[in-house]
Amino acid sequence: MSLNRTISWTAATRDMRNDRTFVAPAANLAERIAREEARKEGIRLYSEAKAALAVAKSRPLFSALGYDRSAIMVLANAIAREECAAVLGRSHRALIGAAMKQAWAMARAARLAAAH
């Protein structure tokens, strides 16, 4: 057995080129139509989520009696919905957790701003 190894650079680069992922173009008209419909649906969901977020932000998050937990939860749901429509790959649990933290921070900031 030889201690020296010979490498065929032509074969190595050919193998590396073949290992790359190949993204195939749309196979037919039906697939292109389905992709376009999915894109439009995503845009519609995102715009609906943005509108719901604007409505939720308009509600007061606190009163003289304390924090309005219902308004905070509505705001957190709207934030999570907007994030879910904008970003793929995150679980609902992670989204709602981050949204709750953000909603409570907004409520505290609004209460502090009103106090001063």
Side-chain angles (χ1 to χ4, degrees):
M1 183 167 146
S2 170
L3 293 178
N4 293 333
R5 195 181 262 186
T6 58
I7 296 176
S8 168
W9 287 105
T10 306
T13 54
R14 184 180 59 240
D15 289 343
M16 287 189 298
R17 199 169 28 251
N18 290 337
D19 286 344
R20 292 186 191 140
T21 57
F22 177 72
V23 179
N28 54 24
L29 182 62
E31 186 176 336
R32 284 187 289 197
I33 290 171
R35 284 183 185 176
E36 182 65 23
E37 291 298 320
R39 188 185 68 81
K40 287 180 182 177
E41 180 69 12
I43 291 171
R44 186 187 63 78
L45 287 175
Y46 183 71
S47 61
E48 285 179 3
K50 284 296 236 186
L53 183 60
V55 169
K57 282 184 176 180
S58 67
R59 289 180 65 177
L61 300 175
F62 69 96
S63 65
L65 300 174
Y67 292 108
D68 184 358
R69 290 184 179 93
S70 174
I72 292 171
M73 193 62 201
V74 167
L75 178 61
N77 278 327
I79 291 170
R81 239 176 95 191
E82 190 262 337
E83 283 290 318
C84 185
V87 180
L88 296 176
R90 290 186 65 191
S91 68
H92 181 72
R93 184 177 186 172
L95 289 172
I96 199 71
M100 286 296 292
K101 289 177 189 172
Q102 187 178 355
W104 274 102
M106 289 171 72
R108 284 189 212 102
R111 187 172 178 191
L112 278 173
H116 291 288

